[in-house]
Amino acid sequence: MKTIAVAIDGPSGAGKSTIARAAAGHLGFVYVDTGAMYRTIGLAVCRAGIALGQTERIQSVLDSGIQVSLKYEQGVQHVLLDGEDVSASIRTPEMSKYASFVSAVPAVRAFLLQTQREMAKTHNVIMDGRDIGTVILPDAEVKIFLTASAQARSKRRFIELREKGEDVTLEEVLADMKQRDHDDETRAAAPLKQAEDAILVDTSELTLEQSIAAVEAVIRPAL
Ligand code: C5P
């Protein structure tokens, strides 16, 4: 079967996952959240007692035979670590830091690459991440670079975290976001950057509904 792949890359907090999930639902595509996979490896590394920055110890976790897999229930992606559903545990500010930390390690990226490519071979996917259009699916039929100003992104993330009961300030969220942007953009392994053939969608001034419509408008001609 000829499959269609939509790659959506961009910095954290641009609304990628919410928008990609909604668009996938409307268009009948499978939504693949690759950030969740990095978060899951981050969780495994954290559980192994490895502190942020102890890069040389990460390989031992990969070698221990951990398994990161995806499961779909009513179209919703769940991510499993050795069979345990960790979808909720990976959504904390600490796991954001661990995800960013492990994602700079080439062996971690290589570990996840096959699973991500395999998904696109077997399903019509909307896959979001940082390097989908540049590294994972360079031949994707549609590539979108989804972004928004750091202020707009941190405000949205702040509201989301407060709704979940996290005790954070807007300043902390903005500082974390700027740090993660910097780390994601400057790392040697698959840095975050717009693919040459990606279409830029800036959601700073758009509502969620408008953002979803803008993304679907880019995708529809390829269907
Ligand atoms: O998208 P999300 O915020 O869940 O991603 C968590 C972290 O995982 C990002 O800050 C980034 O460092 C990393 N990541 C990545 N490549 C991807 C997806 C996420 O490096 N394709």
Side-chain angles (χ1 to χ4, degrees):
M1 169 182 109
K2 167 88 180 89
T3 55
I4 297 177
V6 177
I8 303 186
D9 292 302
S12 50
K16 288 192 307 291
S17 51
T18 312
I19 295 165
R21 190 180 302 115
H26 294 162
L27 304 171
F29 278 46
V30 173
Y31 166 55
V32 183
D33 170 4
T34 62
M37 302 167 91
Y38 287 95
R39 286 170 181 271
T40 301
I41 297 204
L43 180 68
V45 164
C46 178
R47 283 181 177 175
I50 298 172
L52 292 170
Q54 292 182 312
T55 310
E56 68 291 347
R57 295 185 59 197
I58 292 179
Q59 187 65 43
S60 66
V61 174
L62 301 179
D63 292 343
S64 70
I66 57 161
Q67 285 196 345
V68 176
S69 50
L70 302 178
K71 173 180 92 173
Y72 288 85
E73 273 173 11
Q74 277 129 33
V76 178
Q77 174 186 296
H78 291 255
V79 63
L80 310 183
L81 173 59
D82 298 331
E84 172 194 349
D85 189 340
V86 294
S87 310
S89 334
I90 57 171
R91 300 286 160 200
T92 65
E94 196 190 12
M95 284 313 123
S96 298
K97 288 190 188 134
Y98 265 93
S100 204
F101 163 52
V102 301
S103 71
V105 177
V108 170
R109 307 202 72 84
F111 184 85
L112 295 176
L113 182 134
Q114 258 343 93
T115 312
Q116 294 171 359
R117 285 200 178 146
E118 204 52 45
M119 281 303 292
K121 253 192 221 147
T122 48
H123 303 81
N124 290 330
V125 292
I126 297 187
M127 190 176 292
D128 87 12
R130 302 294 186 288
D131 62 337
I132 310 306
T134 51
V135 177
I136 305 297
L137 306 174
D139 298 326
E141 280 72 14
V142 180
K143 296 184 188 178
I144 296 172
F145 195 79
L146 194 74
T147 191
S149 69
Q151 269 69 21
R153 290 186 286 122
S154 49
K155 208 166 146 199
R156 290 176 194 157
R157 184 55 60 90
F158 170 69
I159 294 169
E160 200 179 292
L161 289 170
R162 287 305 275 256
E163 276 172 1
K164 283 201 298 189
E166 297 275 347
D167 185 19
V168 288
T169 65
L170 181 57
E171 290 68 34
E172 283 166 352
V173 176
L174 179 62
D176 274 3
M177 197 158 269
K178 285 191 168 164
Q179 183 64 49
R180 269 214 288 159
D181 284 355
H182 177 264
D183 292 347
D184 288 351
E185 286 162 6
T186 56
R187 67 181 178 214
L192 169 66
K193 64 167 192 274
Q194 183 176 346
E196 272 175 22
D197 48 352
I199 292 171
L200 180 73
V201 176
D202 186 324
T203 66
S204 306
E205 306 292 334
L206 303 184
T207 62
L208 179 59
E209 286 66 31
Q210 290 169 333
S211 305
I212 295 167
V215 163
E216 289 183 5
V218 175
I219 299 173
R220 280 192 198 279
L223 302 183

